[in-house]
Amino acid sequence: MRTVDLLFVTDPRFEGGVSTAVAVEMRAAARLGLRCGLLMVKGPVIRRTLASHPEIAAAVDEGLVQRVDPEEAVEAAVVLVHHPSILTHAFVPRPKVRAGRLVVVLHHPRRDAAGRLQYDLDAVVANGRMAFGRTVEIAPVSSVVRQGLPARPPAGSVVMPADWLNLIELEAWPRRPPRDPQAGADRVIIGRHARPDPKKWPDTIEDARAAYPTPPGWTVRVLGAGDFLFDLYPERPPDWDLVAFNSEPVADFLAGLDVWVYFHSDAWSEAFGRTTLEAMATGVPVILPPHFRPLFGDAALYCVPADVEATVRALLATPGAWQSRSDAVRAFVEETFGADRFARRVEPILADGRSRLASAQSPEGRWSGSLRSSPSSLPTGSPLTSPPVLPERPVLFLSSNGIGVGHLVQQMAIADRLSPQLRPVFATMSYAASVVRQAGYPTEFLPHHRNGGLPVPLWNDHMAEVVLELLIRLRPRVVLYDATAAFGGILRALEVYRDAFTIWVRRPMWQESHRPFLDAARRFDAVIEPGELAAAFDLGPTTDESDLVMKVPPVLHLSPADRLPRAAARRDLGLPDDATVVALQLGGGNNYPLAALRTVLVEAVLSRPDTILLDIRSPVQVGPEEPGPDHPRHRAVRLFPAFRHSAAFDAAILAAGYNAFHEAILGAIPTLFVPNEAPEMDLQVNRAIWAELSGCGLVCRRDLHTPVARDLVGTLLDPAERARMAEACRSHSDGANGADQIARFVEDAARTVRADRSPAIRI
Amino acid sequence: MALPAPSVLTFMRAFLKRLFSDRPVAAPDPSPADPEDIAPPTATPPVPTATPPVLLVTLLEVDPAEHVEIVEKVFDTFNASHKLVFLVSTDVFGPFLARQAALEYFAPVEDQVRFRHLMDWPDYLAEKWTLLLLKWKPVSVVAYGMNVDRFLEAARAARGASAA
């Protein structure tokens, strides 16, 4: 059994102040030398696909807090549940946590300003007790939240006497430079920062204009803008400088402000206002509606929207007033919200929690056996020095595709990057299953409906049953599905199984005919879209729902830096150093015949005396044996992954499938792209056009360019042109591989408790 | 080979049907429009209305070097009268796809032993075998090498020996 001092329980995907506040506590706890665990929860609030908040991810990466597996037995002196919404439903699975004390921090008022219930406190308490078997100690983050509590707390709960104020690390918020005392009110920069949500804005354009005035010389900067603002205020003042959420470091943004102004919807009840706290920490005077006075006292200025301009002018016109206010807000934050207050807050609770764990079995405790750990092995305040070994869990990679390896390669890119505690298992419809098996992964082959020609409904029924049989034995924590077609049979099996976090890794560039599959996104827990360099030319259906998915950089099986050096690659392939090597890989071509064009391209390459054409064939043979080349400089080779040897290539002639295209561009390989334009394919042609227009490659479309194909090959073989293309390619490489981000997402998902839906089954 | 008792399958099918009978919109069944989900050159065309009886041919743990010869022999003998489905324990599918054969797959015993810690593979494959019989409803099962029962017994024995 693992022992920790503090077990943080939260949905790490919260975008705003909640995650920031939690991360501050994690860092503060680490500074105190506490052992901290993190039990991640998928709550019901966030429906779109989001990764963990970067500050929480950083705390995990730095070892300040360590993931806890949902089924791992843990002793925690204090369990700290952040945000009531994650206790809307019962936790699945039930945590095996023995807690000394259980604190549930209410980061949100129970009702909004219009009186609408935001969460059911009775359910929160009941689910907290169900999960951890302790009295729930309710900790409101502010007086606003406290005032909204019922007169009598729900049975099984108590309300903590002091507010659980959000804390802030002053050192992370350097003071803005002093303002020129002579600057007056002629040139003023007003700013605000909030997550993009219409409730965070005044209800009317009149109030918004008044709160964020732009007389001559004044600027309003908005961090956290978005399209929603255009819907909310179709006639927004043009002088506002709109900056997207998270697109600028907050500290830098605040350092450029003279005054912070924050007004929100009358229907919104702001529990705390962390962004205001950050502005104050930076030394920026703040102007707020009067209802914030209980939280920020005399440190802030208060008025109604109509009085903002006058309040600003008064502040700036009075010599020394701005500086005094700046000093005051910074001092107020340090005194009231400094992170060092965390020790005073948690130490007594921890001591009591440890004492409860060490004492005889609490009447409330659900663990009937004696403690396996002696009191001396209870949490001691010693930080863990090495990451714990989490229990091994299977991860199932399900994929479609027939003769190709595209989806499998993408899945291997992710699987190769998982920690040893996550065990990838593949189940694929690809005839190239051997590629995965040879890589050392357990592999199941499930034939596609086109193999055997079974009517599709019957095939789906069979698939549902077989996949369910696999799931209930393998019991994967995460299932990654990689395909465009979301087969009904597979979806049914996943929904019956329920115990896996399901992720659809869905590439963009769909043709319009794929649109019916879009709705399947709602039947997965997450949808991740691998990056597409040619995204600007994507006119397909997925662009309509791009806000719902998590986008990552292009996914590569091998990163360019993982390739063999040129000399070694040439040696491996038996290629002379001085030859001009052109790789050729046009795909199966059975649905888009390319034989005539291929012949022209091959002849054009071989017409140059210094060339070698490396004809790269599929790693698996799925049809009759292809005839061998009949030219001494035309060599056929089965090579997988071909990209590993690509430094040996001077140029390439490739189809514009996702993997080949991105490998070519990010590997800076000058390439003539021959898109497969069959109606069932993705929009390869747009990738190829993008490559040409961005200077990264050339496009050769079968039906338009065959007469000039020889000339295109001539351009490809021109050393100056190749150098130009390679240079253009390099401008698109920032070293990021989306596979790393997806693997990170899977690591989190595999250790996540489900609380986003009722566990009750409706039959 | 006798078909297995249908109780487990009957229950499973009824269970799935009941769970989804009132689902308003299921995900669409796959259309031909699936990038990289291309019909391979050897894909079998859709089953015509009057389908021939299915002959299920098992080649479990059979030396891959013999596959081409066996496939040729089976096709020469039965293709005119039967729809042929091959159950194999190899992932070298070329010889079968070259003749447009329908394929089913059991993980080889070696893999079942190697990955025994992940799940009970023989138990899974026994259930899968039952489902395959329901899927194809073969009029006959012809075994080259081990039949399915012996294959599963061998897998269980190897698993047990390895665990010991």
Side-chain angles (χ1 to χ4, degrees):
Chain A
M1 179 181 292
R2 187 148 39 131
T3 57
V4 297
D5 297 299
L6 273 177
L7 178 63
F8 290 94
V9 181
T10 189
D11 186 334
R13 303 169 301 152
F14 283 125
E15 291 179 278
V18 175
S19 287
T20 308
V22 172
V24 168
E25 292 187 0
M26 289 173 171
R27 290 193 290 270
R31 281 195 294 272
L32 293 172
L34 300 177
R35 299 181 181 200
C36 296
L38 170 61
L39 185 60
M40 299 188 183
V41 179
K42 184 176 192 290
V45 172
I46 298 169
R47 291 293 173 187
R48 62 203 169 91
T49 305
L50 276 181
S52 292
H53 188 281
E55 290 190 51
I56 291 184
V60 172
D61 291 345
E62 293 165 17
L64 308 182
V65 61
Q66 289 163 349
R67 288 190 190 96
V68 165
D69 187 84
E71 295 178 68
E72 188 179 357
V74 176
E75 275 183 349
V78 175
V79 171
L80 206 49
V81 180
H82 274 285
H83 210 286
S85 67
I86 65 171
L87 287 168
T88 300
H89 302 295
F91 280 11
V92 179
R94 187 186 188 208
K96 296 177 179 172
V97 175
R98 183 167 181 273
R101 290 179 64 169
L102 170 62
V103 177
V104 176
V105 182
L106 305 187
H107 286 264
H108 198 69
R110 199 166 60 96
R111 294 185 184 276
D112 67 11
R116 285 185 294 262
L117 201 62
Q118 300 295 292
Y119 53 86
D120 178 350
L121 192 61
D122 289 335
V124 168
V125 169
N127 289 320
R129 287 175 59 81
M130 184 184 288
F132 298 104
R134 305 292 314 182
T135 295
V136 172
E137 299 180 56
I138 296 170
V141 295
S142 69
S143 55
V144 173
V145 179
R146 183 177 293 275
Q147 285 161 11
L149 294 176
R152 294 185 60 182
S157 70
V158 296
V159 179
M160 297 186 82
D163 292 342
W164 197 278
L165 297 173
N166 280 197
L167 303 179
I168 194 165
E169 294 160 312
L170 269 294
E171 59 273 22
W173 302 96
R175 286 200 65 171
R176 83 180 291 290
R179 194 168 190 270
D180 179 0
Q182 308 304 317
D186 292 340
R187 302 193 70 80
V188 178
I189 301 177
I190 293 174
R192 58 163 284 153
H193 169 215
R195 65 182 159 82
D197 185 332
K199 293 192 293 293
K200 296 276 190 175
W201 283 82
D203 294 315
T204 66
I205 184 65
E206 291 74 21
D207 276 354
R209 281 183 169 141
Y212 301 100
T214 53
W218 290 30
T219 300
V220 170
R221 298 204 73 215
V222 175
L223 182 58
D227 290 344
F228 73 94
L229 271 181
F230 295 87
D231 299 330
L232 187 63
Y233 309 133
E235 299 176 357
R236 69 177 172 83
D239 307 24
W240 288 0
D241 178 11
L242 302 179
V243 184
F245 193 58
N246 281 341
S247 63
E248 189 174 318
V250 179
D252 294 351
F253 172 81
L254 293 173
L257 305 182
D258 295 310
V259 184
W260 166 272
V261 177
Y262 181 63
F263 285 82
H264 56 70
S265 165
D266 289 343
W268 179 249
S269 185
E270 187 85 27
F272 190 80
R274 182 172 188 86
T275 54
T276 298
L277 186 64
E278 292 167 353
M280 295 169 85
T282 310
V284 178
V286 303
I287 297 175
L288 304 167
H291 66 259
F292 278 104
R293 183 177 287 281
L295 187 60
F296 297 118
D298 292 337
L301 296 168
Y302 304 97
C303 67
V304 295
D307 293 339
V308 166
E309 182 173 342
T311 305
V312 173
R313 287 189 185 281
L315 176 70
L316 300 180
T318 308
W322 184 92
Q323 190 60 50
S324 298
R325 182 62 63 174
S326 174
D327 294 343
V329 294
R330 172 85 178 185
F332 173 74
V333 170
E334 187 167 8
E335 183 179 328
T336 314
F337 301 99
D340 57 354
R341 292 177 61 89
F342 187 70
R344 278 178 274 166
R345 176 186 293 171
V346 299
E347 279 172 353
I349 309 172
L350 279 169
D352 184 60
R354 288 179 188 132
S355 163
R356 292 188 192 201
L357 285 179
S359 64
Q361 183 73 12
S362 159
E364 285 189 303
R366 60 188 173 84
W367 294 81
S368 56
S370 60
L371 290 180
R372 275 198 278 166
S373 47
S374 65
S376 62
S377 70
L378 289 170
T380 60
S382 311
L384 297 174
T385 53
S386 59
V389 176
L390 291 167
E392 286 188 3
R393 305 293 180 208
V395 173
L396 180 61
F397 289 82
L398 269 170
S399 66
S400 176
N401 80 293
I403 57 171
V405 293
H407 295 296
L408 282 178
V409 168
Q410 187 163 275
Q411 293 200 312
M412 287 172 69
I414 300 162
D416 288 353
R417 288 164 172 80
L418 293 179
S419 67
Q421 287 80 40
L422 295 183
R423 305 300 297 264
V425 178
F426 284 73
T428 182
M429 300 172 212
S430 172
Y431 295 133
S434 59
V435 166
V436 185
R437 186 168 166 263
Q438 286 163 13
Y441 293 115
T443 306
E444 165 69 317
F445 172 70
L446 302 170
H448 190 279
H449 62 87
R450 288 199 187 97
N451 178 279
L454 205 67
V456 172
L458 292 180
W459 176 85
N460 264 310
D461 287 347
H462 171 78
M463 187 61 83
E465 290 169 313
V466 171
V467 172
L468 184 59
E469 291 296 334
L470 181 61
L471 289 168
I472 63 179
R473 285 171 179 78
L474 186 64
R475 305 213 65 80
R477 276 288 177 74
V478 180
V479 176
L480 290 104
Y481 182 62
D482 201 310
T484 296
F487 296 113
I490 288 178
L491 295 177
R492 273 185 268 161
L494 293 174
E495 286 167 351
V496 172
Y497 174 60
R498 281 173 72 97
D499 285 346
F501 191 107
T502 58
I503 303 170
W504 188 10
V505 180
R506 187 190 72 184
R507 295 178 196 157
M509 287 285 193
W510 286 13
Q511 294 214 26
E512 192 56 35
S513 57
H514 302 140
R515 184 176 289 278
F517 296 123
L518 266 186
D519 285 345
R522 288 159 185 79
R523 298 173 71 177
F524 288 89
D525 294 317
V527 182
I528 299 178
E529 187 174 292
E532 173 66 61
L533 289 171
F537 290 5
D538 184 1
L539 307 178
T542 58
T543 57
D544 295 347
E545 298 198 344
S546 59
D547 290 347
L548 298 176
V549 309
M550 185 175 105
K551 295 187 177 184
V552 299
V555 170
L556 296 181
H557 182 206
L558 296 178
S559 293
D562 298 331
R563 293 181 294 177
L564 289 173
R566 177 186 167 92
R570 288 216 166 185
R571 202 164 46 243
D572 253 20
L573 297 170
L575 298 168
D577 288 341
D578 57 349
T580 300
V581 176
V582 180
L584 174 72
Q585 194 168 26
L586 297 181
N590 57 297
N591 65 340
Y592 193 70
L594 288 167
L597 173 59
R598 189 178 191 281
T599 300
V600 174
L601 294 169
V602 169
E603 288 176 359
V605 171
L606 295 174
S607 68
R608 307 282 281 261
D610 63 326
T611 57
I612 290 178
L613 186 67
L614 199 65
D615 193 344
I616 300 172
R617 298 186 173 176
S618 170
V620 291
Q621 182 194 338
V622 295
E625 187 69 52
E626 298 169 69
D630 56 4
H631 190 287
R633 286 186 286 113
H634 183 179
R635 301 180 186 178
V637 59
R638 292 197 189 278
L639 195 61
F640 180 84
F643 190 55
R644 185 184 298 282
H645 288 81
S646 63
F649 311 153
D650 296 297
I653 301 174
L654 304 172
Y658 181 90
N659 292 324
F661 174 80
H662 287 92
E663 287 172 351
I665 302 290
L666 298 173
I669 304 168
T671 300
L672 174 64
F673 289 105
V674 181
N676 183 325
E677 300 186 55
E680 67 266 33
M681 300 301 288
D682 51 356
L683 292 168
Q684 288 196 13
V685 63
N686 285 353
R687 289 197 189 104
I689 292 171
W690 178 89
E692 176 154 300
L693 295 179
S694 57
C696 297
L698 300 166
V699 58
C700 181
R701 301 179 63 185
R702 181 193 67 181
D703 298 339
L704 297 178
H705 297 137
T706 298
V708 295
R710 294 184 71 88
D711 298 334
L712 290 168
V713 171
T715 304
L716 183 69
L717 294 179
D718 180 331
E721 290 288 341
R722 291 207 305 274
R724 183 184 58 76
M725 283 186 253
E727 185 62 29
C729 287
R730 287 188 194 100
S731 70
H732 295 285
S733 177
D734 63 1
N737 188 340
D740 293 319
Q741 290 186 24
I742 299 176
R744 170 65 193 240
F745 189 91
V746 173
E747 296 282 349
D748 286 348
R751 309 298 177 185
T752 293
V753 168
R754 299 296 296 261
D756 56 326
R757 61 191 178 190
S758 169
I761 307 287
R762 185 186 299 276
I763 298 179
Chain B
M1 174 176 289
L3 289 174
S7 57
V8 175
L9 268 300
T10 305
F11 170 79
M12 182 73 76
R13 289 203 157 160
F15 178 58
L16 286 168
K17 192 162 282 183
R18 187 154 52 96
L19 277 173
F20 297 105
S21 59
D22 60 349
R23 186 172 295 284
V25 182
D29 282 334
S31 76
D34 180 13
E36 297 202 31
D37 185 25
I38 314 162
T42 56
T44 307
V47 178
T49 309
T51 51
V54 172
L55 178 64
L56 210 166
V57 184
T58 67
L59 284 82
L60 298 171
E61 302 292 305
V62 172
D63 184 349
E66 299 177 29
H67 286 179
V68 171
E69 184 184 344
I70 294 171
V71 169
E72 292 302 320
K73 184 185 286 185
V74 170
F75 263 85
D76 289 348
T77 309
F78 296 107
N79 193 39
S81 55
H82 291 77
K83 175 180 178 58
L84 300 176
V85 178
F86 289 85
L87 171 60
V88 300
S89 59
T90 174
D91 53 16
V92 179
F93 300 135
F96 307 93
L97 298 175
R99 294 300 304 263
Q100 303 188 9
L103 277 172
E104 298 291 353
Y105 175 79
F106 277 9
V109 171
E110 176 191 357
D111 283 13
Q112 295 181 48
V113 172
R114 183 179 173 196
F115 301 116
R116 64 187 179 281
H117 57 286
L118 286 170
M119 68 175 192
D120 187 335
W121 291 88
D123 183 53
Y124 165 66
L125 293 177
E127 202 64 45
K128 184 177 178 181
W129 172 240
T130 307
L131 292 168
L132 291 181
L133 294 174
L134 281 168
K135 176 183 180 182
W136 292 112
K137 298 180 175 59
V139 292
S140 299
V141 177
V142 175
Y144 285 84
M146 297 180 183
N147 66 21
V148 170
D149 288 341
R150 279 183 52 209
F151 174 81
L152 294 176
E153 281 170 20
R156 287 191 183 101
R159 178 188 174 90
S162 173

